[in-house]
Amino acid sequence: MSRTVSSQQERQIQQSMLRCREDKLHFAKTIMGVDFEGKQREGVTLGGQVSVKIAGRRFGKSLGTLVGDVLHDCLVNPRRTWYITGPSLDQANIYFDEIENFLDDPSQLFSLTVQPKHKNFRRSPFPEVEFINGSKIMGRSVAHDGKYLRGKGADGVVLTEAAFIKDRTYTDVIRAMVLDRKGKIRIETTPNGSQGYVYNLYQQGLDDPTGYYKSFHATVYDNPRLDREEIERIRSEIPDLAFRVEYLAEFVDDDTLVFPWAVLQHIFEDYEPKPVPHKDSIYSIGVDLAKYQDYTVITVLDTTRPPFMLAEWYRFRGRMYGEVVKLVNDLQQKYRAPVHLDATGVGDPIAEQIIDCRPFLFTQKAREELISNLVVHVEQR
C-alpha cells in the first residue's frame, strides 16, 4: 500500500532518477523492481517517436512498454500525460492491473510515487493514475471510431493489440493526439494480416535512417523465463497458422486467411452486451458443445436488425452435459429464441433435451456454404 513520503525518501527517489533519466534498464530495476532479460532489454530501450513492437504471446511486450516508455517518461519528467488504448477497455486495463500490482509492493520505490493511492488511482469510469510530480496515465478504448479519444492531447499514446484497431482510428484520431506536443506513439501487438497501418509502420521502422520510426520483433522463444517444453506442447496442440501468428508473431499474407484484415477491421466494436431481453427484439441462440477437452460456447445474439449485437456469451469447459442443457434451456426461456445446436458428433439425445432446438449437422459442403455466406456479409458490413 502507499505510504507517506519522507524528505529522505524523496531525496532517494530524486537521486535515483538522475541516472534513470538516461538509463531505462536501471530505472526498471531500481524503481520498478523489474530485471528484463535477453531480447526484452532491446524492446525496453527501442526508442523512436513512433515505435512498433511485434511480438508473440507471453513475450512481455506490454510490461516492457509500460515500464520502459510510459512509467519512465511519467516519472523522470513532470506533468506528462499518457493514454493507454486498445480495441476494448479490458485490454487497456491490463496496463493498470500491472500498475496496481507495482503500487502494492512497498519494497519498491515506485510505491512512493502515487500519494495517496485511494485518491490518485481509480478504475471507474475510466482507469487513471496520477503521480506526485503531476504526470498522469489514462485508459480509454477505441470504441465508436475513437470517440473517447477525440480532441485529447498527449505526450504519449500506447496502442495495445494495435493490429485490431481500425486504420482510420489511428490516422484520423490517434495520430493527431501527439501532434502539438511532439509526443510518442507506442504500438505493441501480435500481427493480424500483412497490410494496414501496423504492417506499414513496422516496415517503415525497419529502414528509417532518421530514427523517427523504430521496429522490433520477438517470438515467444525470446522470453527466457518461459518453459520451452510447455511452448512445444502448445505448438503440437494448435494449428500451425495459429502458432505462427500468435506465438512466432509472423505477418501472414491475407490470401491465406478466411477473413482478410482489410475486411475484418470494419466489424470490430467495443460495447457492453445487454442481457435484458427487449419485448420487440428477435434473438437467436447458438451452441457448440465441448467434445473431450474442448470448450463449450454459447452465444445469444440480438438479430432484430443489422448489425447483430451480443446479448450474452459463455465459454467454459469441464461441465457435464446436464448442466449445459439446463443453462441453454434457461436462456431459451429468457429470450424465447430458437437454439441452433452443432449436433455433429453429439447425436440426438442432447438435442432432444433442449427446448426449441434446431440441430445442425456439419458436412464439408455445409461448412463451405456457411463460411462463404458469412464472408459476403462481413464484406458488406
Side-chain angles (χ1 to χ4, degrees):
M1 300 300 291
S2 55
R3 300 163 286 169
T4 302
V5 183
S6 68
S7 57
Q8 181 180 355
Q9 289 169 327
E10 189 171 348
R11 284 194 300 273
Q12 186 182 4
I13 294 174
Q14 290 172 348
Q15 289 168 359
S16 295
M17 287 300 179
L18 292 176
R19 180 179 171 187
C20 289
R21 181 176 294 278
E22 303 300 329
D23 189 340
K24 290 184 177 182
L25 295 172
H26 179 73
F27 167 82
K29 189 170 184 178
T30 59
I31 303 297
M32 307 303 305
V34 180
D35 194 4
F36 290 102
E37 297 182 30
K39 198 165 184 178
Q40 291 177 332
R41 297 166 70 88
E42 182 185 336
V44 170
T45 59
L46 183 61
Q49 286 298 110
V50 178
S51 70
V52 182
K53 296 178 184 177
I54 304 297
R57 295 292 176 195
R58 311 316 303 164
F59 166 74
K61 57 186 178 294
S62 296
L63 182 61
T65 301
L66 173 63
V67 173
D69 290 302
V70 184
L71 292 174
H72 179 264
D73 190 38
C74 284
L75 294 184
V76 302
N77 299 299
R79 296 179 295 281
R80 306 292 273 185
T81 299
W82 277 74
Y83 280 88
I84 310 293
T85 188
S88 71
L89 196 57
D90 281 347
Q91 284 152 322
N93 258 318
I94 292 172
Y95 273 70
F96 289 88
D97 292 340
E98 290 285 1
I99 292 173
E100 191 160 25
N101 289 337
F102 283 134
L103 288 174
D104 284 336
D105 185 354
S107 67
Q108 303 302 331
L109 289 176
F110 179 71
S111 65
L112 303 174
T113 62
V114 179
Q115 301 295 334
K117 180 181 168 185
H118 71 274
K119 179 180 178 182
N120 290 359
F121 186 97
R122 69 181 189 187
R123 300 303 286 260
S124 180
F126 297 110
E128 183 176 311
V129 60
E130 184 173 355
F131 302 97
I132 56 177
N133 67 354
S135 290
K136 254 185 199 182
I137 306 171
M138 290 173 280
R140 298 289 188 276
S141 80
V142 293
H144 310 295
D145 296 324
K147 169 184 174 182
Y148 302 113
L149 294 166
R150 284 187 177 274
K152 309 290 187 185
D155 297 292
V157 181
V158 173
L159 287 74
T160 183
E161 293 302 338
F164 299 90
I165 294 174
K166 299 175 185 177
D167 288 17
R168 62 176 298 179
T169 302
Y170 174 78
T171 56
D172 296 357
V173 180
I174 292 167
R175 195 63 182 90
M177 292 176 66
V178 298
L179 180 60
D180 58 335
R181 305 188 195 186
K182 296 184 178 179
K184 298 178 174 64
I185 292 178
R186 296 294 181 252
I187 292 168
E188 56 98 343
T189 187
T190 48
N192 185 20
S194 58
Q195 58 177 291
Y197 80 99
V198 171
Y199 179 76
N200 293 336
L201 289 173
Y202 177 76
Q203 295 299 323
Q204 199 163 349
L206 292 176
D207 187 26
D208 178 18
T210 70
Y212 188 92
Y213 298 96
K214 293 273 193 173
S215 294
F216 172 84
H217 181 271
T219 75
V220 66
Y221 292 106
D222 291 314
N223 185 342
R225 294 186 174 92
L226 298 181
D227 186 321
R228 292 298 184 270
E229 288 187 10
E230 190 64 20
I231 294 173
E232 294 307 319
R233 287 192 190 97
I234 293 173
R235 189 168 197 161
S236 69
E237 292 172 6
I238 69 175
D240 180 64
L241 178 62
F243 190 82
R244 288 171 57 200
V245 172
E246 298 293 333
Y247 293 89
L248 300 183
E250 291 183 13
F251 287 103
V252 178
D253 290 337
D254 275 357
D255 59 6
T256 67
L257 303 175
V258 175
F259 299 100
W261 168 236
V263 170
L264 198 60
Q265 64 171 311
H266 295 292
I267 66 168
F268 284 123
E269 193 57 84
D270 181 28
Y271 62 88
E272 288 294 326
K274 298 178 180 178
V276 179
H278 190 278
K279 65 176 182 177
D280 297 323
S281 292
I282 300 169
Y283 296 92
S284 186
I285 301 172
V287 180
D288 182 13
L289 292 171
K291 301 171 185 67
Y292 309 109
Q293 297 302 311
D294 203 356
Y295 285 85
T296 288
V297 179
I298 304 169
T299 303
V300 184
L301 280 179
D302 182 338
T303 61
T304 310
R305 64 185 66 84
F308 296 168
M309 308 287 280
L310 269 180
E312 293 190 47
W313 187 79
Y314 299 86
R315 181 177 185 267
F316 50 78
R317 63 181 174 184
R319 296 192 191 180
M320 302 295 290
Y321 280 149
E323 292 181 73
V324 177
V325 167
K326 182 179 186 308
L327 173 58
V328 172
N329 282 337
D330 288 345
L331 290 169
Q332 194 283 329
Q333 293 292 293
K334 179 178 179 180
Y335 290 95
R336 300 295 174 182
V339 177
H340 301 276
L341 172 75
D342 176 6
T344 311
V346 175
D348 293 334
I350 301 298
E352 289 174 354
Q353 299 176 54
I354 295 176
I355 303 169
D356 196 7
C357 184
R358 319 277 176 92
F360 188 90
L361 293 174
F362 276 100
T363 63
Q364 186 63 31
K365 183 174 183 294
R367 186 185 303 275
E368 289 174 358
E369 288 176 353
L370 280 172
I371 292 176
S372 296
N373 182 56
L374 182 58
V375 169
V376 170
H377 278 76
V378 169
E379 288 177 345
Q380 296 175 353
R381 305 188 197 177

